[in-house]
């Protein structure tokens, strides 16, 4: 299976960002060893958490892909639904002397309906038959619009580290850094061609209506198939910001925004990728201890 890296520089930047979270590890371990007694009054209890997550995802195309016409599409955008489950486990239960908030590890298992639509317009010289004089044909420029709709239902697993630096009233803001692995479960690529100039004036002065002979309408499906070539394994770096809002003593509501930077391409050996912004809402439940 072939999954080229989009940019070694991007991977390096995100790897360094993730590595910063581990800078606190020595201090964390020291706090654990100092307060290992279960009777220590200063230790705060940070429960493990499970929850459900859902929200819209917004996708932006980088690079290009081609259909069989051949036509090349760029600049696509789209939206889809994201839903799944999450789990977080406390990495260190800090004591009263710890001033840097809490650090947890977690993971999200998600289904993502990734979609984009890309389009462009172009003039084509088309041979048109005269209705007044059927033996006459004229070549005239006609404006067409090409639309490509691509969809990639994807299952993703995102392990991450989450840092809650402080509490502001009832709000407990957090930052997450993770690495997402995804599997594209299927794909579809539909290319539709539209006539924008429904009438044209021929050189003999005649005005003619334009339609596709196959459908006798203003549109025709040029291609409706799976997306090929396709790299089913996807890798991305994730950065998430959000806040926990307690509901009672056991539940939390967590709105968050996640940014996904793709590290692999969809069409090897091409350059087509999809950057994502996801607005997520999680309902979390503290597990009893």
């Amino acid at each position: 299976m072939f999954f080229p890296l989009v940019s070694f520089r991007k991977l390096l930047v995100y790897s360094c960002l993730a590595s910063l979270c581990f800078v606190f590890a020595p201090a964390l371990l020291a706090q654990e060893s100092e307060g290992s007694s279960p009777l220590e009054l200063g230790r705060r209890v940070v429960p493990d958490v499970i929850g459900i997550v859902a929200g819209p995802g917004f996708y932006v195309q980088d690079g290009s892909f081609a259909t069989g016409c051949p036509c090349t599409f760029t600049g696509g955008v789209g939206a889809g639904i994201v839903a799944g489950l999450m789990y977080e486990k406390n990495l260190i239960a800090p004591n009263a002397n710890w001033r840097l908030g809490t650090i947890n590890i977690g993971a999200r298992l998600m289904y993502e309906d990734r979609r984009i639509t890309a389009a462009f317009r172009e003039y084509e010289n088309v041979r048109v038959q005269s209705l007044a004089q059927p033996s006459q044909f004229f070549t005239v420029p006609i404006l067409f619009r090409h639309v490509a709709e691509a969809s990639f239902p994807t299952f993703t697993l995102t392990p991450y580290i989450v840092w809650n630096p402080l509490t502001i009233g009832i709000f407990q803001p957090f930052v997450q850094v993770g690495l997402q692995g995804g599997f594209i479960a299927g794909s579809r690529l539909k290319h539709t061609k539209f006539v924008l100039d429904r009438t044209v004036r021929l050189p003999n002065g005649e005005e003619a209506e334009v339609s596709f002979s196959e459908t006798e309408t203003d549109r025709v499906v040029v291609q409706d198939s799976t997306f090929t070539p396709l790299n089913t394994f996807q890798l991305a770096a994730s950065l998430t910001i959000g806040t926990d809002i307690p509901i009672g003593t056991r539940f939390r509501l967590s709105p968050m925004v996640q940014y996904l930077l793709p590290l692999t391409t969809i069409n090897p050996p091409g350059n087509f990728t999809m950057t994502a912004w996801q607005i997520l809402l999680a309902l979390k439940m503290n597990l009893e201890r």
Side-chain angles (χ1 to χ4, degrees), residues 156-232:
T156 63
L157 177 64
T158 310
Y160 57 84
I161 296 177
V162 54
W163 176 39
N164 293 81
L166 75 167
T167 298
I168 306 175
I170 64 170
F171 299 100
Q172 301 170 2
F174 59 80
V175 178
Q176 296 176 359
V177 177
L179 188 65
Q180 182 186 89
F183 173 74
I184 298 178
S187 67
R188 185 184 182 189
L189 177 60
K190 184 178 180 180
H191 176 188
T192 307
K193 186 176 182 180
F194 298 83
V195 175
L196 298 184
D197 291 335
R198 295 305 309 276
T199 59
V200 294
R201 185 170 297 277
L202 302 181
N204 64 357
E206 178 184 353
E207 194 172 81
E209 293 186 358
V210 180
S211 63
F212 288 101
S213 59
E214 302 97 316
T215 62
E216 297 184 352
T217 66
D218 66 337
R219 67 195 63 188
V220 65
V221 175
V222 179
Q223 179 177 340
D224 190 355
S225 64
T226 58
F227 190 98
T228 55
L230 177 66
N231 176 26
T232 57

Side-chain angles (χ1 to χ4, degrees), residues 41 132 173:
L41 298 180

Side-chain angles (χ1 to χ4, degrees), residues 125-138:
N125 291 323
V126 179
R127 195 164 180 258
V128 179
Q129 182 181 23
S130 169
L131 295 179
Q133 302 177 7
S135 61
Q136 285 190 318
F137 292 85
F138 302 94

Side-chain angles (χ1 to χ4, degrees), residues 19-161:
S19 299
L20 290 177
C21 295
F22 292 96
V23 172
F24 301 109
L28 289 170
L29 294 175
Q31 295 292 340
E32 275 291 289
S33 59
E34 290 173 6
S36 59
S37 172
L39 299 179
E40 182 185 350
L41 298 180
R43 183 170 297 283
R44 293 180 289 168
V45 175
V46 182
D48 297 344
V49 172
I50 61 172
I52 57 175
V53 188
F58 303 94
Y59 303 95
V60 179
Q61 174 186 350
D62 294 312
S64 63
F65 64 88
T67 59
C69 20
C71 299
T72 300
F73 290 88
T74 60
V77 295
I81 298 298
V82 180
L85 305 172
M86 55 81 58
Y87 172 76
E88 288 181 8
K89 181 174 180 62
N90 179 240
L91 185 62
I92 293 297
N95 60 33
N97 296 324
W98 178 256
R99 303 300 182 187
L100 296 178
T102 61
I103 296 179
N104 293 358
I105 56 174
R108 281 189 294 272
L109 180 62
M110 308 285 285
Y111 169 79
E112 302 183 17
D113 184 22
R114 300 181 174 183
R115 297 172 177 268
I116 62 162
T117 299
F120 68 89
R121 298 183 179 189
E122 69 174 358
Y123 279 96
E124 295 182 22
N125 291 323
V126 179
R127 195 164 180 258
V128 179
Q129 182 181 23
S130 169
L131 295 179
Q133 302 177 7
S135 61
Q136 285 190 318
F137 292 85
F138 302 94
T139 299
V140 294
I142 297 176
L143 182 61
F144 293 91
R145 184 169 185 257
H146 295 260
V147 178
E149 301 167 274
S151 62
F152 307 93
T154 306
F155 292 94
T156 63
L157 177 64
T158 310
Y160 57 84
I161 296 177

